[in-house]
Amino acid sequence: MIRPVLMVLLIAGVPAGLAAAVAVPPVPENRLAPDDPAWTRLAGQLAGERAITADFTEERHFSFRKEPAVLRGEVRLSSERGLSLHYLGPEEQTVIIDRKGSLVRTAAGDRAVPEDPRASAANFALIHLLRLDLAPLAQAFELYGRRVDGDWAIVLVPREDSLRRTLGEITVEGSGPAVSRIELRRSATQRVEIRVATPRTGAFSAEELRQYFR
């Protein structure tokens, strides 16, 4: 069975990843205020979209294998229903993250994901990162960011010491109003990387809501 990305954060081990397109060391000069006008204007371009769909590729690198495990799928983000990750293979399943928590949907039915502080924090971050909704993120994470021309990157560091040790840093990169890459990194040897294709906007059909949300 495919494990949801946010439940493998502590078992994926890899060599250090590629350098970010825009490096953001978590130092005071890179601190990001959630109400910074330049960033809120950027976020505003996504905030008005009630339904976003994009293809994604997820790489899980393990210390015991040379090549990463690669999963592909579709991500759907609804302002009302939450986040849905539809994995297309090797085993088809959908991970749904919303106000009620998380569940995994397969052909056999729905299965609730047990609560875990690390996964909950990462789930919370993913939902808000895809819309660059910085105000709620700033409550749980220290935010660091840089912009270079049209490219940008944000690093999230958990405020709680326990989460900082077990979850590590989350990096999101993009160009213009679109998120292109998310990396969940506990250390230089543990990370999961998600690359997001150009998003598509437009209302979800009744069938999409039934199939990919709850």
Side-chain angles (χ1 to χ4, degrees), residues 172-212:
V172 57
E173 300 172 11
S175 181
V179 173
S180 60
R181 176 179 175 271
I182 298 172
E183 181 184 77
L184 302 107
R185 177 186 291 268
R186 182 184 177 191
S187 69
T189 58
Q190 293 186 335
R191 71 181 175 97
V192 175
E193 183 177 3
I194 304 170
R195 294 190 178 273
V196 185
T198 302
R200 307 180 292 275
T201 59
F204 294 125
S205 67
E207 176 59 22
E208 284 180 300
L209 292 174
R210 183 198 66 78
Q211 184 173 356
Y212 299 114

Side-chain angles (χ1 to χ4, degrees), residues 21 41 43 45 54 56 63 68 77 79 86 99 121 150 153 167 179-180 185 191 193 197-198 203 205 208:
R41 283 195 298 271
Q45 298 177 56
F56 73 88
S63 58
L77 182 64
S79 59
H86 180 212
R99 296 183 182 89
L167 177 60
V179 173
S180 60
R185 177 186 291 268
R191 71 181 175 97
E193 183 177 3
T198 302
S205 67
E208 284 180 300

